[in-house]
């Protein structure tokens, strides 16, 4: 996905106010009626419709007039809200090149005023796994469904919380810097994904280190669930860093053993195929063979801590309910909905009241304090100049 951050420079305070109003309306409207946007935004000098047109031109909104005149955020619109908030917080001041395209994320380099370069991960849940099921729309209406905004925000929150907790427990993960909406800022990992590496100096040691991490995670009560050559970064000194945490589960999960074995198998398979590492010790698969356990650890013989998720994650503001929602999504248990810009999305249920009320509108004013007039984002291209509001 193209993220043309130059557009940010040309967006005014009113543009962001209206964009935020659409986001707020999306709490309980699939498509937010234009009148409601106007009411929430309550621009001092009017002109909501002109602003909507401008946002539409920049593809920050999607217009839908099939039932009534309404709008919803596009991924790009949501990106801009998150980026704007982070820039205002001083987390970073410029966005650079794209460094990764994950299954359900886009990763960019960002830099702060000191020139420190970090990684920005924008979660895009549903990009690959949601299917358009228009014919089932009536049926879906009465089912539990979640929109991509909610799910992508949860994925980011979970990733941030796990990264922080894992780092505090000495795991080799990026440094978690900040999180807003569907966006996580973390330190930039030097090196490359293991999938790109053709040769290692110390294959055995790297293998043992990686298997050791899977075991240590389980000892801490966790299973990565997507532990493979794409989510392991390695540098020239063969130092390992683990990334990508939104799908992690607790060792008390009903399928824990299967997930654990899958993570282990994945690594064994990759190392034997890519680096010709042989695993003879594992061949007889004898139960009491300690050597065999070192190569292929058994879930049942690991002393597992429990409560890691509950304690550490609830302390980080990630609730049990949110954890359950995202787990259901990861397991495909939720009705899935289209997120393509040309297709409609289902309304999120059970996460908000059914109408916008007065306190929402008051909250909106504090939200918009993030987008004060003199708060225009600074240049958002690595080489860009700081520009004033051009409107
Ligand atoms: P997804 O969940 O979509 O798979 P990942 O977190 O695995 O996303 O990131 C996708 C790719 O982006 C990685 O394979 C890696 O190349 C790059 N990447 C992600 N995070 C970082 C980081 N902190 N530093 C450097 N590169 C990163
Ligand atoms: Mg990944």
């Amino acid at each position: 996905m193209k993220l043309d951050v130059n557009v940010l420079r040309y967006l005014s305070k009113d543009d962001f106010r209206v964009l935020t109003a659409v986001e707020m309306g999306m709490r309980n409207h699939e498509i937010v009626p234009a009148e409601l946007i106007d009411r929430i935004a309550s621009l001092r000098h009017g002109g909501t419709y002109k602003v909507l047109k401008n946002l539409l031109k920049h593809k920050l909104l999607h217009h839908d007039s099939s039932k009534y005149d309404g709008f919803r955020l596009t991924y790009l619109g949501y990106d801009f809200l998150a980026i704007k908030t982070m820039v205002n917080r001083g987390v970073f001041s410029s966005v650079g090149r794209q460094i990764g395209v994950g299954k359900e994320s886009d990763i960019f380099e960002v830099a702060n005023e000191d020139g420190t370069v970090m990684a920005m991960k924008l979660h895009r849940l549903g990009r690959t796994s949601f299917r358009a099921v228009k014919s089932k729309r009536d049926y879906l209406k009465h089912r539990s469904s979640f929109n991509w905004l909610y799910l992508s925000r949860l994925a980011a929150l979970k990733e941030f919380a796990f990264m922080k907790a894992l780092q505090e427990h000495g795991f080799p993960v990026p440094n978690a810097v900040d999180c807003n909406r569907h966006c996580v800022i973390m330190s930039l990992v030097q090196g490359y994904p293991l999938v790109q590496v053709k040769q290692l100096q110390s294959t055995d040691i790297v293998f043992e280190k990686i298997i050791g991490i899977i075991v240590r995670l389980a000892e801490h009560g966790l299973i990565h669930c997507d532990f493979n050559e794409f989510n392991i970064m390695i540098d020239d000194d063969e130092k390992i860093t683990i990334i990508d945490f939104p799908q992690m589960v607790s060792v008390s999960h009903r399928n824990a053993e299967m997930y654990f074995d899958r993570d282990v198998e994945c690594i064994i398979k990759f190392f034997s195929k890519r680096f010709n590492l042989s695993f003879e010790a594992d061949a007889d698969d004898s139960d009491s063979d300690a050597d065999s356990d070192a190569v292929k650890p058994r879930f049942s013989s690991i002393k597992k801590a429990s409560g890691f998720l509950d304690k550490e994650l609830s302390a980080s503001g990630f609730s049990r309910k949110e954890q359950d929602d995202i787990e259901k999504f990861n397991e495909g248990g939720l009705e899935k909905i289209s997120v393509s810009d040309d297709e409609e999305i289902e309304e999120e249920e059970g996460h908000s009241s059914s109408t916008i009320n007065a306190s929402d509108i008051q909250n909106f004013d504090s939200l918009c304090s993030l987008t004060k007039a003199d708060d225009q984002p600074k240049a958002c291209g690595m080489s860009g100049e700081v520009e004033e509001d051009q409107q």
Side-chain angles (χ1 to χ4, degrees), residues 101-105 107 121 224 226 228 230-232 243-245 247:
V101 187
K103 282 193 302 284
E104 295 188 306
S105 73
I107 291 112
K121 179 166 176 178
H224 187 284
D226 199 12
N228 56 41
F230 298 93
N231 292 327
I232 298 169
I243 58 168
D244 202 359
F245 315 102
Q247 64 294 317

Side-chain angles (χ1 to χ4, degrees), residues 192-254:
Y192 345 80
L194 191 58
V195 66
Q196 290 174 12
V197 177
K198 301 279 176 264
Q199 220 177 339
L200 288 170
Q201 276 157 19
S202 333
T203 313
D204 290 11
I205 294 175
V206 173
F207 174 80
E208 275 162 31
K209 255 197 238 166
I210 292 173
I211 293 290
I213 293 170
I214 302 181
V215 171
R216 204 147 61 83
L217 279 172
E219 286 168 352
H220 280 76
L222 293 171
I223 302 166
H224 187 284
C225 286
D226 199 12
F227 207 92
N228 56 41
E229 61 275 23
F230 298 93
N231 292 327
I232 298 169
M233 307 282 288
I234 185 160
D235 69 7
D236 290 335
D237 298 327
E238 306 199 334
K239 183 177 167 282
I240 301 291
T241 308
I242 307 301
I243 58 168
D244 202 359
F245 315 102
Q247 64 294 317
M248 285 184 93
V249 300
S250 159
V251 286
S252 55
H253 188 283
R254 62 187 185 292

Side-chain angles (χ1 to χ4, degrees), residues 109-223:
E109 276 182 357
V110 293
N112 66 14
E113 298 284 354
D114 305 333
T116 306
V117 180
M118 296 165 286
M120 168 172 78
K121 179 166 176 178
L122 295 163
H123 284 267
R124 313 226 183 271
L125 253 70
R127 175 157 70 186
T128 53
S129 53
F130 284 138
R131 302 220 114 225
V133 273
K134 278 201 165 130
S135 58
K136 288 194 191 164
R137 288 181 59 78
D138 286 343
Y139 162 75
L140 282 177
K141 217 171 264 169
H142 306 289
R143 300 290 298 246
S144 169
S145 63
F146 297 89
N147 75 23
W148 55 267
L149 262 141
Y150 174 68
L151 287 166
S152 297
R153 185 173 65 76
L154 281 196
L157 194 61
K158 181 173 175 186
E159 176 142 60
F160 183 73
F162 271 86
M163 217 181 326
K164 240 179 138 167
L166 290 172
Q167 190 191 7
E168 279 160 16
H169 285 265
F171 283 92
V173 297
N175 181 18
V177 178
D178 203 357
C179 174
N180 180 261
R181 295 178 172 88
H182 61 323
C183 170
V184 178
I185 307 294
M186 61 188 121
S187 60
L188 189 72
V189 179
Q190 300 303 325
Y192 345 80
L194 191 58
V195 66
Q196 290 174 12
V197 177
K198 301 279 176 264
Q199 220 177 339
L200 288 170
Q201 276 157 19
S202 333
T203 313
D204 290 11
I205 294 175
V206 173
F207 174 80
E208 275 162 31
K209 255 197 238 166
I210 292 173
I211 293 290
I213 293 170
I214 302 181
V215 171
R216 204 147 61 83
L217 279 172
E219 286 168 352
H220 280 76
L222 293 171
I223 302 166

